[in-house]
Amino acid sequence: MSVSDFMTKNLVVAQPEMKIFDAVDLMKKNNIHRLPVVRDEQVIGLITEGTIQSALPSKATSLSVYEVNYLLNKTTVADIMVKEVQTIEPEASLEDGIFRMRQNNIGVLPVVDSNKNPVGIITNNDIFDAFLKITGYNDGGTRIQLRIPEDHKGILADITKLLAENDFSILTVVVNRKELETIIELQIESRETNQIKKILEDANYDIFEATFISKKV
């Protein structure tokens, strides 16, 4: 899966000459928390709720309300934006995007094409949505967790063959390798949790958990 599969494509941007108050209004209107700053179709910065908050005068300031408003009305996005912006390409893998966010301790990556033109944005919330999709959380069905001994080659082929022979379809598979064992989590398109559990137990699989999950609307 690539960044383009999960990025937000309807990009809302700010211009460097935009006043801070206007940027705040733009965020509120679109229910977002960050704005790439664009000039001549190039990303030149990033403004977030955090950078705006840092730019606001402290409550301990001796400035009057009128002086504070005067200063803020003169302050533009370019004055406070983050200038060193990490970006990523749409064809990059989702894992690369997550790694770059973690390495740089950031929660957003503007997505740019080969000409450095902005084509989207991916945030930590998009990553959460991707995880829910990958694990089949919204699809519903029977979720089975199997505890598999270490070095059991061909186990996935055996499991899928067994379920297919009993007319069950697998929606998602997640493999979690631990030091001495592997946990395989299957999401199966069926409400017949007990029947699936029995089929696997009869085939001598160690079932760690078996639950039915309702489809999310």
Side-chain angles (χ1 to χ4, degrees):
M1 286 170 290
S2 66
V3 167
S4 63
D5 292 327
F6 296 99
M7 71 183 187
T8 299
K9 297 176 183 177
N10 296 326
L11 193 59
V12 181
V13 302
Q15 288 73 44
E17 64 274 9
M18 180 181 285
K19 298 294 190 293
I20 290 182
F21 284 150
D22 293 329
V24 171
D25 288 341
L26 191 58
M27 288 185 189
K28 288 181 178 178
K29 179 181 177 181
N30 291 278
N31 192 28
I32 54 179
H33 309 285
R34 303 116 167 155
L35 291 169
V37 184
V38 174
R39 174 189 287 145
D40 297 329
E41 298 186 352
Q42 301 282 304
V43 176
I44 62 169
L46 183 73
I47 188 167
T48 70
E49 288 180 342
T51 56
I52 292 173
Q53 189 64 39
S54 298
L56 296 176
S58 165
K59 291 182 179 179
T61 182
S62 60
L63 295 175
S64 70
V65 173
Y66 302 105
E67 289 172 318
V68 169
N69 285 335
Y70 174 76
L71 286 175
L72 291 179
N73 277 321
K74 288 185 62 179
T75 304
T76 67
V77 165
D79 294 327
I80 66 169
M81 68 182 184
V82 177
K83 295 182 175 66
E84 298 295 326
V85 183
Q86 291 287 325
T87 62
I88 196 164
E89 303 75 31
E91 62 273 10
S93 71
L94 185 63
E95 296 94 318
D96 285 339
I98 295 170
F99 182 78
R100 195 168 300 181
M101 286 185 185
R102 294 290 293 156
Q103 286 293 100
N104 293 279
N105 194 29
I106 54 178
V108 57
L109 287 170
V111 184
V112 298
D113 62 18
S114 57
N115 296 317
K116 304 301 181 183
N117 301 137
V119 294
I121 192 169
I122 189 163
T123 70
N124 45 13
N125 284 337
D126 296 319
I127 301 298
F128 296 149
D129 289 341
F131 178 79
L132 293 177
K133 181 177 179 61
I134 292 167
T135 58
Y137 179 80
N138 295 319
D139 298 328
T142 292
R143 179 170 293 175
I144 299 280
Q145 291 187 16
L146 306 176
R147 187 183 283 110
I148 307 298
E150 191 179 15
D151 293 333
H152 197 121
K153 292 182 174 61
I155 189 69
L156 282 176
D158 294 339
I159 293 171
T160 54
K161 180 181 177 182
L162 176 63
L163 291 171
E165 288 174 347
N166 287 274
D167 202 28
F168 289 110
S169 298
I170 298 174
L171 294 171
T172 63
V173 178
V174 178
V175 179
N176 181 15
R177 294 187 181 277
K178 299 186 178 183
E179 186 175 350
L180 299 176
E181 64 182 11
T182 297
I183 301 297
I184 296 179
E185 182 177 285
L186 306 168
Q187 188 126 334
I188 302 165
E189 191 176 16
S190 174
R191 302 176 64 93
E192 303 298 328
T193 304
N194 291 333
Q195 183 182 349
I196 296 169
K197 182 178 179 182
K198 184 177 187 308
I199 289 170
L200 292 168
E201 285 178 337
D202 288 347
N204 296 318
Y205 288 107
D206 182 6
I207 296 180
F208 181 68
E209 183 179 343
T211 55
F212 175 75
I213 301 174
S214 300
K215 187 171 185 177
K216 308 298 185 294
V217 294

